[in-house]
Structures are given as structure tokens and as C-alpha cells.
Amino acid sequence: MCRLGSLSAAAAELHHTQSAVSRQIAGLERQLGAALVERHARGVRPTPAGEAFRRHALATLNEADRAVRAVRELRDGVSVRPLTVGATPSLAAGIVPEAVRDLLEREGPVRWSLVPGLTAELHRKVTAGDLALAVVTDAPPGLPHDPRVERRFLGDDAMVVVLPAGHRLARRGPVRIRELAGETWAEDNDGSAALLRGHAARAGAEVRVDLAAADLPGKLALVATGHAVALVPGALTRALRPDVTPVPLVDPLTRGIHAITPRRDPHPLTAPLLDDLTRVFAASGRCG
């Protein structure tokens, strides 16, 4: 109801009548001695007491859901808990799958899944218990210090510029950001755009981020078709499409790569996977 903002919508989603939902809320309010919702012209919204109750109720429901999953993940007394790994798009494209491959070759078959996302989203999923581990970055807006998670620094990743294959600078060595100041740039997220603008400003240049892409593949498509140049993580270099050319920057900007895991109830394969991630990242040549 708080999410939907309407008693009738909540009743429909729960397959109850609106009057039944109203009675349940009224019963809770009598038991608690406080109003939980207030009505307004467009529906209902929680009172301060209702918002406090909602937060604790969600935590209780999440714990109950985890309890059910824990029981279902046991077969004959042996845990078959799946390994759910999150990663930012560039790290999901190569380094993380490579590390998981090495883990499975050593540990044997394990049910696992890969969840791409941006750092803030992955952090929330780790703290909610939805991810066993996430590989994220400290690029803007940054990685919060959260007592609910453990953090391991994997290394620094130097950003590179990707150019169309026929670009005048595509076959040169490292370039200065000032040489590309007149280009049209494409970006797919605010964090990468902030890194780019900050780096250019420190070099006394200004860049135009005129094209926005929905995601990393979309940004690379804009580069491949000659519409723009773009800044991408160096960790992505080995997985780039063949019609774009990565070029290193003089005095490159870097972002830190971190693995985060929940402090509570860690997956039994977390420690060996962290070791594999550290080794694979270092071997990729991106470690600063």
C-alpha cells in the first residue's frame, strides 16, 4: 500500500477486497495505538508512525524470506546455496566471469548467476542479502563506507579512450585529453561523465558530452559508428568490439576496484572467489 499509494491498488495486488485491507490496517492501528496511514485526495500515505512500522516490517519479511531460502537450499543436510555475484558492466564483461571459471574448475560445479549493475545498486543488493559478492568501483558518486559489508581492494583500473577504428588518433600511442577536447563525447552514466569532466578540467580543457547512451554497449555503438569518442574502463579492453580502438591517456585517470561482501552469513565460496578475483585482476595488467 505504501508503495502503491492506494488501498484499492494494494487490495487488488493482494487479491483481497478493499474493505478487508482497511479492516487489517484498522486492527493494527488499534493494537499499536497509533495511526499508520492518512488519506489525501489521490490515495493514502504513511504517517511517521506508519513509515517507522513499514521499515521494521520490511526487515522482518526479508529475514523470513532468507530463512525460507536457507531451508530450501539444503538437500540431505548439505548446503547447495547458489552463488550470486554482482559486477559493474565493464567488470561483468570479462574479469568476473574469468575468476568464477577458475573457481568452478577448482571447486567443482556450483549453481551461480551474474547480476550486472551500477555500484550503488549492487551495494544495496549486498546489504539486503541478495548478492554473495559484488565487484564495484569507487568512481563518482563513490563507494560508501558501510559497517554491514566487508571490502577488499583489488587494484586501480586506468581508464582509456575508445575511438572509431578510422579515427586520426586511433593508431597513435598515448594521447592527451586536450587533443580530444573538440570531439563529441558519449556517456552512459553520471559517474563516468564526472570522471571525464574532472580529468579534462585538471588538464585545462573542456569536453562536450553531447550524446547519452542507455548502457555500455550503446556507448560503444555510438563510437563504432563514428558519432563520438568515449571514456571506458581499462578492464574492458580485452572484451571490446573489433570496430573500436582503445587508446591510453597520458597521465590517465584511475578508479579503484573493490569486492564487497556482507559481513553476516557469508557464502562459503566467498574467500576463494576473492582470491581468484585478486589474481585475475592483477594478471589483466590493469592493476595500478
Side-chain angles (χ1 to χ4, degrees):
M1 183 191 59
C2 295
R3 174 172 53 85
L4 298 171
S6 163
L7 281 174
S8 58
E13 187 170 290
L14 294 169
H15 305 291
H16 290 312
T17 64
Q18 182 173 333
S19 60
V21 173
S22 295
R23 285 195 301 272
Q24 289 177 336
I25 293 171
L28 269 175
E29 289 178 330
R30 284 193 300 272
Q31 182 181 351
L32 296 170
L36 298 179
V37 297
E38 58 186 3
R39 288 162 176 77
H40 58 91
R42 289 176 292 181
V44 295
R45 58 176 166 247
T47 63
E51 180 60 29
F53 183 82
R54 184 191 69 86
R55 289 197 303 270
H56 287 283
L58 281 176
T60 300
L61 289 171
N62 287 337
E63 283 298 319
D65 182 60
R66 280 196 282 271
V68 171
R69 289 205 308 262
V71 172
R72 288 176 176 170
E73 288 162 4
L74 283 172
R75 298 293 184 270
D76 301 322
V78 178
S79 176
V80 289
R81 180 178 173 186
L83 178 65
T84 308
V85 181
T88 59
S90 60
L91 298 164
I95 285 175
V96 171
E98 188 175 340
V100 174
R101 179 201 62 197
D102 293 349
L103 175 77
L104 300 185
E105 286 178 352
R106 187 177 63 255
E107 301 289 339
V110 174
R111 205 156 44 96
W112 78 286
S113 58
L114 179 60
V115 179
L118 298 181
T119 292
E121 175 191 3
L122 296 174
H123 177 266
R124 286 193 297 271
K125 289 183 176 180
V126 168
T127 58
D130 297 326
L131 293 175
L133 179 148
V135 187
V136 297
T137 83
D138 58 14
L143 182 60
H145 289 278
D146 190 325
R148 295 171 295 178
V149 302
E150 297 275 3
R151 182 194 301 191
R152 179 187 286 195
F153 177 64
L154 301 179
D156 285 318
D157 184 33
M159 306 290 283
V160 300
V161 175
V162 285
L163 307 174
H167 193 280
R168 60 187 172 84
L169 299 177
R171 300 302 171 191
R172 274 189 43 185
V175 299
R176 298 183 183 278
I177 195 72
R178 294 179 64 88
E179 298 178 78
L180 296 164
E183 301 282 347
T184 295
W185 291 76
E187 276 305 341
D188 63 327
N189 69 78
D190 293 339
S192 184
L195 277 177
L196 171 62
R197 290 191 178 101
H199 181 68
R202 287 190 293 274
E206 184 177 353
V207 297
R208 302 191 327 268
V209 182
D210 292 333
L211 295 177
D215 52 25
L216 187 55
K219 180 163 75 171
L220 293 174
L222 288 171
V223 175
T225 50
H227 294 291
V229 301
L231 189 72
V232 301
L236 186 65
T237 301
R238 291 188 296 176
L240 286 174
R241 52 191 288 172
D243 48 1
V244 301
T245 301
V247 177
L249 285 166
V250 175
D251 187 24
L253 66 162
T254 61
R255 58 181 194 155
I257 306 299
H258 305 260
I260 58 174
T261 57
R263 287 186 185 274
R264 288 184 57 194
D265 191 26
H267 193 284
L269 292 178
T270 293
L273 179 55
L274 284 170
D275 292 339
D276 285 324
L277 284 165
T278 302
R279 180 180 46 75
V280 169
F281 187 77
S284 74
R286 308 315 312 171
C287 191

